Amino acid sequence: MMYGITFRGKHSYDIGNIIVKTKSRPPIAPVKQLDEEIPYKDGNVDYSDSGGRLFYQDKVIEIDFTFIAKDLIRLNQSITKFVSWMAGGYGELRFDDMPYTIWYAKPINLNDIEHFAYKNGKFTAQFRCKPFNSWIFNSEGIRLGDAIRLDSNVPLGFGNENKFTLSKGVTEHSLFYYGTAPVRPTIEISQYSGDLSITVNNDTMSTSSISGSPIVIDCEKRIITRGGLQCTTVFKGDFFELQPCDNRIIVIANKASSSNTVEFKYKHKFLYGDDF
């Protein structure tokens, strides 16, 4: 079986007359190294994890594209289709042999294609990728009809861990995050009016006398809204990040009822691919 790729929603088969082969696909992005050299001291002082965890740089992957053409006219037609497909900023990239993993990538060396394609009919495209990959299914779970292998290891009730009901006073919840890289979620709180405090692991965010539905805390964009209107400055504290495995959540709400729900929304992030 010959594997290909899907980029910007189009499969390499749709381009026609090219053979795709991975040349380099690093399983993890390089760590951002922050250190200081101190005189009269052996080694360096490493500050790489001083922000609470390690942070990562973008990664580069390489893919070989071989153009099949019987003459220069056909070769130029193939190159035209290929460049139109590749040109642009970041897009979603998926490999046929990793069908549930999304890489966020952009080509960075298309200007070299003419020389190599004419010389030997092959071009090695370099893609700059974001440090973490994503799973094609989000935190809401897998719906009936979603394409997934019958022999996958996705647990029963997958997605239920991300939504819970508030109780008046203190509500504690354990959220198991299945990704292998940290993710900044969006938190939606429905039908609530009153004082509110949310703690995720060691970070807390709080406010007093807030009302509006829904209250949305976007930890990636660092924006908070209530009823669609921005209210970021009303809250005090730090935005949250979910870590792989168990995350302890504590919500303190002085006027909660059974109609108040909290939902964490995100895309699972992976250092490389999923293991379901």
Side-chain angles (χ1 to χ4, degrees), residues 146-167:
D146 282 343
I148 190 167
R149 299 190 316 271
L150 295 178
D151 61 346
S152 70
N153 296 319
V154 177
L156 292 175
F158 174 81
N160 294 340
E161 69 278 0
N162 297 304
K163 189 172 184 178
F164 58 94
T165 301
L166 284 182
S167 300

Side-chain angles (χ1 to χ4, degrees), residues 29-92:
V31 173
K32 287 185 176 180
Q33 189 65 34
L34 302 173
D35 54 21
E36 181 181 3
E37 184 175 323
I38 298 178
Y40 313 111
K41 180 178 176 63
D42 295 320
N44 292 353
V45 178
D46 192 343
Y47 299 106
S48 300
D49 59 355
S50 59
R53 66 169 178 86
L54 292 175
F55 291 84
Y56 296 83
Q57 299 176 354
D58 288 347
K59 53 194 173 187
V60 175
I61 62 176
E62 294 183 318
I63 303 175
D64 285 338
F65 295 91
T66 301
F67 297 87
I68 308 300
K70 63 181 181 180
D71 54 41
L72 287 178
I73 293 177
R74 300 295 192 278
L75 178 59
N76 278 311
Q77 290 174 344
S78 295
I79 292 175
T80 298
K81 290 182 180 179
F82 179 81
V83 171
S84 297
W85 177 38
M86 287 285 154
Y90 281 97
E92 293 187 358

Side-chain angles (χ1 to χ4, degrees), residues 205-235:
M205 182 172 287
S206 62
T207 187
S208 59
S209 300
I210 190 170
S211 62
S213 182
I215 299 169
V216 179
I217 303 173
D218 189 328
C219 297
E220 181 66 35
K221 297 179 180 178
R222 305 178 73 85
I223 294 175
I224 305 174
T225 60
R226 55 182 174 186
L229 301 177
Q230 189 169 154
C231 63
T232 306
T233 57
V234 173
F235 280 79

Side-chain angles (χ1 to χ4, degrees), residues 229-248:
L229 301 177
Q230 189 169 154
C231 63
T232 306
T233 57
V234 173
F235 280 79
K236 297 180 180 179
D238 299 317
F239 287 91
F240 313 119
E241 194 172 62
L242 295 178
Q243 301 297 327
C245 298
D246 286 308
N247 292 266
R248 185 168 181 248

Side-chain angles (χ1 to χ4, degrees), residues 192-205:
Y192 183 74
S193 177
D195 298 343
L196 183 66
S197 172
I198 305 174
T199 299
V200 178
N201 298 322
N202 296 318
D203 294 323
T204 299
M205 182 172 287

